[in-house]
Amino acid sequence: MKRVLKYFVVMFVLVAFIQKPVFAQPTSEQVQSQKEQLQADKNELKKAQGNRFEVEQKIENLDNEIEEVMNQIAKNKNQILKVQEDIKANEKQYKQAEEDMKNEQDVFNKRVRAMYINGAAAYLQVLVEANGFSDFISRVEAVRSIMQLDKKITENIKEKQEQLNAVKQNLNKKNQELVSLNDENNKKLSKLKSDKVDQSKLIEEAQSQERVYASAVNESQAKLNETMKQIESIRNATPKYTPSRGAVSVSSNTVVAYASNFLGTPYLWGGTTPAGFDCSGFTQYVYRHFGISLGRTTYDQINDGYGVSRDQLRPGDLVFYGKGGSPSHMGIYIGNGMYIHSPRTGDVIKISSYDRSDYITARRVMR
């Protein structure tokens, strides 16, 4: 009986083993196909990311152009106000010259009214009433001096009036030119805003393309997460900075900690406050907090401080991007291959990889 039972147990095990599904090892062709598909996905993701980056660069350039036009419009308005003030001052001088000439003319008329009314008889009367030859000569000289002096005064006032009139005409012409330039800039600004709408549509399209391939490993996101952890550590370990007068030594960590307070702040054309920043307005605001003065625009700030090579970058350095050496965007390097910046219209202050193809240079402004 035991032998029979043992027999059935062995047969059951054999049957179970035979019926157990066996999975074949993948062939080398299958492995190669999977590798190729993975590489293709990565290539498509890189292509989509590159397309979005290209469009974002165009947006940055448009933002920069719009800001330039806005700055030019502001300058033109100031120039127009100055010219208008000059015109008012000139008109005041013009009226004063007219009044002076009128007063001089009244004095002249009172002194020699009889001479104008009676003609030569008045001159004869002056001479006839002379007491002797010496008095006669004196009267002749007096009459001639008065006539010459009055004539000179009148001519001087008229000449001054003509000069002031010429200045007034020139200022009016200049004012018209500035108004015309201001109108042109406003038209240009309207066109740029229209172009900006078109670019925003392209941004949406590029972001849609990237989402299609979002399943691929995103090394940038992993690096960003790591950087955010580092910044949080820095903020927790860095004491609050209190501005003081005079030269101050500022640490890199202090700058990074303060700049990170504005993450999420919206981009704003010409913005220089926490209500909204453009790229250079953000960097200027951060460093002003530490008593360090920077220029207003990227064109100004690229000349602030001193240049540092790419391999010598350290947190707090300003990094610049653009084409042909002309900056169109900038931000603050924070280490770990990342920088904090106010990117473009429709975006917010954020942290991104500093390693862009349009990198130009870096400047160190910390003491």
Side-chain angles (χ1 to χ4, degrees):
M1 185 66 181
K2 290 182 179 180
R3 292 178 63 185
V4 174
L5 181 60
K6 183 178 180 180
Y7 171 80
F8 279 110
V9 170
V10 171
M11 290 299 296
F12 177 79
V13 172
L14 288 174
V15 171
F17 177 79
I18 293 172
Q19 291 181 346
K20 182 179 180 179
V22 178
F23 297 99
Q25 293 293 325
T27 65
S28 58
E29 290 82 3
Q30 289 175 325
V31 172
Q32 182 62 30
S33 176
Q34 291 172 355
K35 287 182 177 179
E36 290 176 354
Q37 183 60 50
L38 177 60
Q39 186 60 48
D41 290 343
K42 288 183 177 180
N43 290 341
E44 289 294 337
L45 175 61
K46 187 175 181 180
K47 181 179 177 181
Q49 289 173 330
N51 181 42
R52 188 182 71 169
F53 175 68
E54 182 179 347
V55 176
E56 287 179 342
Q57 279 187 305
K58 292 179 180 179
I59 293 290
E60 288 176 5
N61 291 335
L62 279 171
D63 285 335
N64 197 49
E65 291 178 25
I66 290 172
E67 287 168 13
E68 286 183 34
V69 173
M70 291 174 68
N71 289 336
Q72 189 60 51
I73 289 174
K75 289 179 181 178
N76 288 345
K77 287 181 178 179
N78 290 334
Q79 288 176 313
I80 290 172
L81 290 175
K82 178 64 170 59
V83 171
Q84 289 174 340
E85 289 176 359
D86 291 343
I87 290 174
K88 290 180 180 179
N90 187 252
E91 288 175 344
K92 185 176 180 180
Q93 293 176 356
Y94 183 87
K95 291 179 180 179
Q96 185 61 49
E98 284 186 325
E99 187 66 26
D100 291 343
M101 189 174 70
K102 181 176 179 295
N103 292 336
E104 291 291 341
Q105 191 68 46
D106 290 342
V107 172
F108 176 80
N109 289 340
K110 290 177 181 178
R111 285 204 304 263
V112 293
R113 180 179 300 275
M115 298 179 186
Y116 280 109
I117 295 174
N118 301 318
Y123 293 99
L124 290 174
Q125 183 178 356
V126 171
L127 299 177
V128 167
E129 292 177 352
N131 297 319
F133 182 74
S134 177
D135 186 36
F136 175 80
I137 296 300
S138 297
R139 287 174 178 258
V140 170
E141 289 298 326
V143 170
R144 185 172 65 179
S145 296
I146 291 173
M147 295 299 294
Q148 288 179 345
L149 180 60
D150 288 340
K151 181 179 180 182
K152 185 176 181 179
I153 291 174
T154 303
E155 289 176 350
N156 287 342
I157 293 178
K158 286 184 177 180
E159 182 179 356
K160 184 177 180 181
Q161 188 180 43
E162 290 174 357
Q163 291 175 348
L164 289 173
N165 189 51
V167 172
K168 180 180 178 180
Q169 291 178 355
N170 183 58
L171 289 173
N172 284 332
K173 180 180 179 181
K174 188 175 181 181
N175 185 46
Q176 291 174 356
E177 291 174 354
L178 289 173
V179 171
S180 177
L181 181 59
N182 189 49
D183 290 341
E184 290 178 7
N185 283 338
N186 282 328
K187 291 178 182 178
K188 185 177 181 181
L189 181 59
S190 296
K191 183 180 183 304
L192 287 173
K193 288 182 178 179
S194 175
D195 291 341
K196 181 66 180 62
V197 173
D198 295 335
Q199 291 293 338
S200 296
K201 294 177 181 178
L202 291 176
I203 281 284
E204 292 177 4
E205 179 182 349
Q207 290 175 334
S208 176
Q209 291 177 5
E210 186 171 355
R211 283 194 293 268
V212 174
Y213 308 101
S215 58
V217 176
N218 192 332
E219 296 179 359
S220 297
Q221 185 61 47
K223 198 170 186 179
L224 174 60
N225 293 339
E226 178 185 347
T227 303
M228 289 300 298
K229 290 180 180 179
Q230 292 179 359
I231 288 179
E232 189 62 31
S233 299
I234 290 173
R235 293 181 64 173
N236 292 335
T238 303
K240 184 177 180 181
Y241 173 84
T242 302
S244 60
R245 300 191 178 192
V248 179
S249 179
V250 182
S251 71
S252 299
N253 284 351
T254 306
V255 172
V256 171
Y258 183 69
S260 67
N261 290 326
F262 303 101
L263 288 169
T265 302
Y267 180 96
L268 178 65
W269 288 327
T272 58
T273 72
F277 291 106
D278 62 25
C279 62
S280 57
F282 170 58
T283 54
Q284 183 189 51
Y285 186 89
V286 169
Y287 272 101
R288 184 188 294 132
H289 178 74
F290 300 102
I292 298 176
S293 178
L294 300 181
R296 171 59 192 91
T297 68
T298 54
Y299 295 104
D300 297 324
Q301 293 185 29
I302 200 171
N303 295 313
D304 289 330
Y306 59 93
V308 291
S309 61
R310 197 164 186 172
D311 60 348
Q312 295 296 317
L313 277 176
R314 71 185 188 194
D317 290 340
L318 302 178
V319 286
F320 296 84
Y321 304 90
K323 290 185 178 180
S326 179
S328 59
H329 187 58
M330 65 177 299
I332 301 173
Y333 184 69
I334 59 175
N336 198 32
M338 310 292 277
Y339 79 120
I340 184 170
H341 62 133
S342 184
R344 56 176 174 78
T345 301
D347 211 335
V348 297
I349 290 179
K350 64 184 182 183
I351 294 171
S352 305
S353 171
Y354 99 101
D355 190 15
R356 293 173 35 163
S357 60
D358 59 340
Y359 176 89
I360 297 178
T361 188
R363 306 288 294 186
R364 186 161 295 160
V365 297
M366 288 191 298
R367 299 185 179 95

